[in-house]
Amino acid sequence: MRGIKILGGKTLHGKVQIPGAKNSVLPIMAAAALCGERVTLERVPHLSDVECSAKILQRLGCRVMAAEHFLVIEPAGELQSEIPEDLMRAMRSSIFFMAPLLVRTGRADITMPGGCKLGARPIDIHLDGLAKMGVMIAQSAQHLHLTAPAGLKGADITLRFPSVGATETLLMAAVSARGQSVLRGCSMEPEVTDLVRFLKACGACIEGEGTRCLTVFGTPNLKGCHYRICPDRITAATVMFAVAGCGGEAVLQGACEEDLQAVFRVLRRGGCDIACKEDEIAIGRYHTLYGAGNLVTDVHPAFPTDAAPLAAAAFLRAQGTTMLTDSIFENRFACAAGFEKMRAACGVQGRTICVQGVPRLAGSSVHAPDLRGGAALVLAAAQAEGESIITGIEHIARGYEDLAGLFVQLGAQAGYIQMQDSSSLLNVAAYA
Ligand code: UD1
């Protein structure tokens, strides 16, 4: 078992390159299974969820080759229609394979997906839309057996909520369905737009890119393409909230300014300086950080739910109060227990975390409850006096290539340690 060890209290300074987006590469890897030709993806982050998606593709019969930040996916002659339970449960994004399986094989035998425990996370919007396209669904508590005996047919579908995952599932189904589909009430998250662009590069015909209504004209055969994944706005937000919390300055290269406007507003409210030029974003926090008042997450273009724990961590030492409510997931702030161990003054009620800034945090041993909550604990530890150890970092590896390394690039003293078991926090290997 590994952990992240970090000696907090340093002001941050540095330049970082923003990698490709986790939430973009995962659905695009699944969508590659729709294609009849080779797909080459560029700017692919090294993440355990990417490895898991590659394993699923291989299991389905595709060839997957990885080198540096490139990934080449060669189509399978005939695709398998079943995904083993362990791979389905390893991550939430395994659900993205459901539509490609239905399109390519006429059926999908899968179990309910795993992923961060942020709340109930049902998949009814995915299934309701697929049913409208002619999919028959047999569902038990944990197992799904879907068939499309007559293939998928285009449909007019209104999503009851602009779910990111459901929009992506229905897009993948619609691009290969017979006839026209109109998807209304779609998610406008930048990663959905990235999937639209990828599918268009493969020959799909989609109108309405970047809006809540997507019109799709089904095409029987998608070709391959070479595609560059969009930058990860949540990694960019992680760096910016780290600077806000610790003080100092950083330059982010390759981030997309347009995708980060809601994050900028919150950081500026706290007193951070942000300047953008070409593909660089510079952030500095040179004076007092002020509490951000009341913040509510919502679907894009509002403040993103994935950045909520990071913002909470950044304001733990701010002057004043920050009240953050997550409107998307019920259990977004499981990291609050770790904040409290570091002697933060915060409390969670329902979907809201209330942070009353304190002058000092104390280093501690804490456990990552989920991906972004784990990153938020590392961010809090970077501000705390003394040493902290964060365990449960397998959650963090799902979404960050090397989070400790990112903090090292910003001048923090951080690294990975090997631990004998969860009760032994003393077997320190080395700082990075
Ligand atoms: C995606 C992101 C995740 C992010 C989230 C919200 C990926 C791989 N993951 O997750 O990092 O936090 O968007 O921006 O892209 N819902 C239903 N029924 C459904 C689908 C969703 O009720 O069929 C609900 C969910 O329980 C949740 C809300 O809708 O409360 C948002 O979920 P959704 O947008 O689908 O998020 P994910 O695609 O799971």
Side-chain angles (χ1 to χ4, degrees):
M1 194 176 75
R2 287 194 335 148
I4 289 178
K5 181 174 164 180
I6 183 160
L7 186 62
K10 282 216 157 80
T11 305
L12 304 182
H13 296 275
K15 201 175 238 197
V16 294
Q17 185 72 38
I18 300 303
K22 159 190 171 282
N23 288 352
S24 187
V25 72
L26 300 174
I28 288 177
M29 285 177 75
L34 292 167
C35 300
E37 292 172 7
R38 166 191 288 198
V39 166
T40 304
L41 301 177
E42 197 182 326
R43 191 153 61 184
V44 174
H46 295 155
L47 306 173
S48 58
D49 275 10
V50 167
E51 269 173 40
C52 184
S53 293
K55 276 191 198 146
I56 294 178
L57 282 166
Q58 284 166 335
R59 186 65 191 233
L60 295 177
C62 299
R63 282 188 66 205
V64 183
M65 289 147 288
E68 298 285 318
H69 287 94
F70 285 85
L71 201 67
V72 178
I73 301 164
E74 301 265 13
E78 226 169 90
L79 220 62
Q80 299 295 314
S81 62
E82 216 174 300
I83 300 177
E85 190 173 337
D86 56 328
L87 292 176
M88 277 305 294
R89 291 211 193 283
M91 58 172 187
R92 172 80 181 169
S93 302
S94 52
I95 199 67
F96 294 134
F97 287 90
M98 181 166 64
L101 286 183
L102 280 164
V103 168
R104 292 285 309 276
T105 73
R107 53 187 288 171
D109 283 301
I110 54 177
T111 32
M112 292 296 279
C116 288
K117 306 269 177 286
L118 305 174
R121 305 190 87 175
I123 56 165
D124 58 307
I125 307 174
H126 304 237
L127 298 180
D128 287 353
L130 290 174
K132 289 216 168 79
M133 294 174 130
V135 175
M136 320 272 283
I137 299 163
Q139 189 176 5
S140 64
Q142 288 306 322
H143 197 83
L144 276 169
H145 175 66
L146 296 97
T147 47
L152 294 167
K153 58 176 191 332
D156 192 320
I157 298 166
T158 301
L159 283 73
R160 73 165 169 81
F161 177 83
S163 150
V164 177
T167 303
E168 292 169 336
T169 289
L170 298 177
L171 251 175
M172 287 190 242
V175 289
S176 306
R178 280 190 318 280
Q180 178 182 318
S181 296
V182 183
L183 308 178
R184 303 172 201 273
C186 290
S187 150
M188 284 169 34
E189 254 62 13
E191 296 78 18
V192 171
T193 302
D194 213 34
L195 175 63
V196 169
R197 289 183 182 154
F198 167 78
L199 290 168
K200 280 181 167 177
C202 296
C205 194
I206 304 168
E207 286 174 3
E209 178 183 314
T211 72
R212 294 239 178 268
C213 182
L214 297 168
T215 305
V216 184
F217 305 91
T219 352
N221 298 309
L222 288 183
K223 52 190 177 69
C225 75
H226 184 124
Y227 192 77
R228 190 161 193 241
I229 302 297
C230 73
D232 196 314
R233 63 195 166 109
I234 306 302
T235 302
T238 306
V239 174
M240 289 191 284
F241 280 117
V243 171
C246 297
E249 56 196 2
V251 173
L252 288 72
Q253 292 181 314
C256 177
E257 172 190 343
E258 198 189 318
D259 296 346
L260 286 159
Q261 291 303 317
V263 169
F264 289 175
R265 278 195 290 278
V266 170
L267 288 160
R268 285 187 174 126
R269 228 200 266 187
C272 297
D273 298 330
I274 298 165
C276 305
K277 68 164 196 268
E278 286 157 26
D279 78 336
E280 282 193 352
I281 298 171
I283 173 159
R285 205 269 281 171
Y286 308 105
H287 310 290
T288 308
L289 182 72
Y290 294 99
N294 285 339
L295 299 174
V296 183
T297 70
D298 209 337
V299 297
H300 192 73
F303 189 72
T305 169
D306 284 358
L310 307 167
F315 290 109
L316 292 174
R317 290 190 310 156
Q319 192 174 306
T321 310
T322 306
M323 293 268 280
L324 245 160
T325 302
D326 195 289
S327 76
I328 310 290
F329 294 109
E330 303 96 84
N331 190 26
R332 192 35 111 177
F333 300 112
C335 52
F339 292 162
E340 281 174 330
K341 266 189 100 180
M342 293 184 197
R343 304 216 195 114
C346 64
V348 177
Q349 231 178 10
R351 291 168 177 247
T352 302
I353 185 167
C354 178
V355 175
Q356 181 64 53
V358 291
R360 270 178 291 283
L361 295 174
S364 182
S365 296
V366 291
H367 191 76
D370 53 60
L371 163 54
R372 303 302 170 190
L377 291 177
V378 175
L379 215 150
Q383 302 170 60
E385 285 171 13
E387 198 171 273
S388 293
I389 290 173
I390 295 94
T391 53
I393 65 169
E394 62 284 357
H395 291 297
I396 296 175
R398 292 191 29 239
Y400 294 89
E401 277 194 358
D402 175 10
L403 187 60
L406 196 66
F407 275 86
V408 170
Q409 281 179 60
L410 294 168
Q413 202 174 339
Y416 297 95
I417 57 167
Q418 192 66 41
M419 285 164 328
Q420 276 160 348
D421 60 55
S422 56
S423 58
S424 162
L425 300 175
L426 299 171
N427 182 22
V428 176
Y431 276 115

